[in-house]
Amino acid sequence: MREAAFVRQNKEKWIVFEKAINLGSNTNPDELANGYIQLTNDLAYAQTYYAESKTLLYLNGLASQAHQKIYKNKKESSNRILDFWLTEFPLFFKQYHKTLGSAFLIFIVASIIGSLSALNDATFVRLILGDAYVNETLNNIADGDPAAIYKGGSEIGSFLGITINNIRVAFLAFSFGVITSIGTGYILFSNGIMLGAFITFFYTKDVFFEANKQIWLHGTIEISVIIIAGCAGLIMGNSILFPKTYSRRTSFMKGAKDGLKVVVSTIPFFIIAGFIEGFITRYTDMPNWLAFLIICSSLFLIIYYYLAYPIILNKKHERQLHTVTGKP
């Protein structure tokens, strides 16, 4: 590519980035980091093909300025952890909404397959959930309390055990992305099959409403966040399969970092789900209105934080950026 064409192709991006680094704390750190990666890629290209050119001098200067801003003069906020969940992560996650949609689609398709399999084969549930669990649940149904399995153990013990196990499943869904998106897809698919068979099992025993009222108290957040953790695994897996303009190694490192950030964001939600399952789900005689209030509130929390809030925050950030760059 000729130098003039290279400049025409990238100069708008460089100008926006140069102005963005002057925003300081008002600019999303992830956008700065991603812009810096693109800038260093352009710098490496210019060093190879346009040695001793004015373009190379400009990019060298801009890279030095960006490095100074992003790394050497970086001041950590005293509320760094809070800032991560309230600002940094939502701004970052908007770009992966389509990946989240893919994870959701895999899970839903698997759930439908699990449900249809359980409807057409009475032994399928035992194959998926195990004889011990099915037999205990059948005894609970016979006793008129289909969700009694959630009453076992102490409240604190159940809370800790459930939370740790849920976080383990999330990191498993993420880590399987190391073997590309197929690995994470398998985790999502197997968990979807399990959920479909599990829910349908109660339907076949005519206790669908009673059981689901209790299951989704904690399950709304728990299942949603497993899908989100699957999204994290797909991010890492896709970075291997589709490196785009990056080298495969650089793409994987970026995908692993982004995916891990998504998994970390789920930890508070798994704690909430564990708390509900350990302390609240066991009260199977709670009023229907209260159960539905908890379920709907949980669903709203997930949808708002992972879908609506990132869109709102990014639009606000774009308006700030347009003010600085002078774009309409």
Side-chain angles (χ1 to χ4, degrees):
M1 182 188 299
R2 292 187 177 183
E3 183 180 354
F6 176 71
V7 172
R8 280 198 304 271
Q9 180 178 308
N10 295 288
K11 71 174 183 179
E12 186 69 23
K13 176 179 63 178
W14 299 336
I15 292 170
V16 170
F17 179 71
E18 184 175 9
K19 290 180 178 179
I21 62 176
N22 292 322
L23 275 173
S25 60
N26 292 326
T27 303
N28 178 15
D30 283 295
E31 289 188 5
L32 282 178
N34 289 336
Y36 182 68
I37 291 172
Q38 293 179 36
L39 177 65
T40 53
N41 286 341
D42 292 340
L43 175 59
Y45 187 89
Q47 287 172 333
T48 302
Y49 296 102
Y50 316 122
E52 301 180 5
S53 68
K54 290 183 179 180
T55 302
L56 180 58
L57 289 175
Y58 169 76
L59 292 177
N60 259 322
L62 184 56
S64 297
Q65 183 185 1
H67 188 276
Q68 197 77 9
K69 286 279 187 181
I70 296 172
Y71 297 103
K72 292 188 177 180
N73 295 333
K74 185 179 179 181
K75 294 182 180 179
E76 293 292 342
S77 168
S78 57
N79 296 319
R80 180 70 179 82
I81 295 177
L82 191 61
D83 287 344
F84 172 81
W85 271 284
L86 292 182
T87 305
E88 180 180 335
F89 176 77
L91 279 171
F92 151 84
F93 189 64
K94 167 69 167 56
Q95 64 185 304
Y96 290 118
H97 275 177
K98 289 184 179 179
T99 308
L100 178 61
S102 298
F104 177 77
L105 184 62
I106 292 170
F107 193 88
I108 289 299
V109 169
S111 298
I112 293 172
I113 293 173
S115 179
L116 293 175
S117 299
L119 281 173
N120 291 284
D121 184 355
T123 64
F124 184 75
V125 174
R126 291 184 177 274
L127 175 67
I128 297 298
L129 301 178
D131 288 331
Y133 184 90
V134 171
N135 290 337
E136 182 178 355
T137 303
L138 286 173
N139 290 333
N140 292 335
I141 292 172
D143 293 337
D145 194 356
I149 198 167
Y150 296 110
K151 295 181 178 179
S154 67
E155 292 177 337
I156 294 178
S158 296
F159 163 61
L160 292 175
I162 290 163
T163 301
I164 291 171
N165 181 68
N166 288 340
I167 292 174
R168 181 190 65 81
V169 172
F171 273 92
L172 185 67
F174 166 63
S175 62
F176 264 56
V178 170
I179 54 177
T180 73
S181 306
I182 296 172
T184 295
Y186 167 76
I187 296 296
L188 285 170
F189 197 82
S190 59
N191 276 274
I193 290 282
M194 189 180 300
L195 177 67
F198 178 66
I199 296 300
T200 304
F201 171 66
F202 291 106
Y203 173 78
T204 61
K205 301 304 176 184
D206 297 322
V207 289
F208 182 79
F209 176 81
E210 294 85 347
N212 276 274
K213 183 187 75 171
Q214 299 304 124
I215 292 167
W216 290 105
L217 284 172
H218 61 274
T220 301
I221 293 180
E222 185 177 292
I223 297 301
S224 297
V225 181
I226 286 175
I227 294 172
I228 292 163
C231 169
L234 292 181
I235 291 170
M236 181 163 63
N238 288 343
S239 72
I240 301 171
L241 295 175
F242 312 108
K244 297 181 181 177
T245 58
Y246 300 110
S247 68
R248 203 169 295 277
R249 178 176 176 274
T250 301
S251 177
F252 171 71
M253 291 176 64
K254 180 180 182 299
K257 175 187 172 184
D258 288 357
L260 183 60
K261 190 176 290 188
V262 175
V263 174
V264 170
S265 79
T266 67
I267 293 176
F269 295 94
F270 274 130
I271 292 173
I272 294 171
F275 177 84
I276 294 173
E277 187 170 352
F279 289 90
I280 299 176
T281 303
R282 62 180 59 239
Y283 296 105
T284 56
D285 57 347
M286 73 167 59
N288 291 340
W289 69 265
L290 180 57
F292 290 131
L293 178 63
I294 295 172
I295 292 169
C296 291
S297 298
S298 298
L299 184 61
F300 173 81
L301 177 63
I302 291 293
I303 291 175
Y304 180 77
Y305 184 73
Y306 283 99
L307 294 178
Y309 186 52
I311 293 173
I312 294 170
L313 209 57
N314 270 273
K315 285 183 177 179
K316 180 180 178 181
H317 176 71
E318 285 171 7
R319 286 195 297 269
Q320 292 176 337
L321 188 60
H322 289 165
T323 299
V324 172
T325 60
K327 288 184 177 181

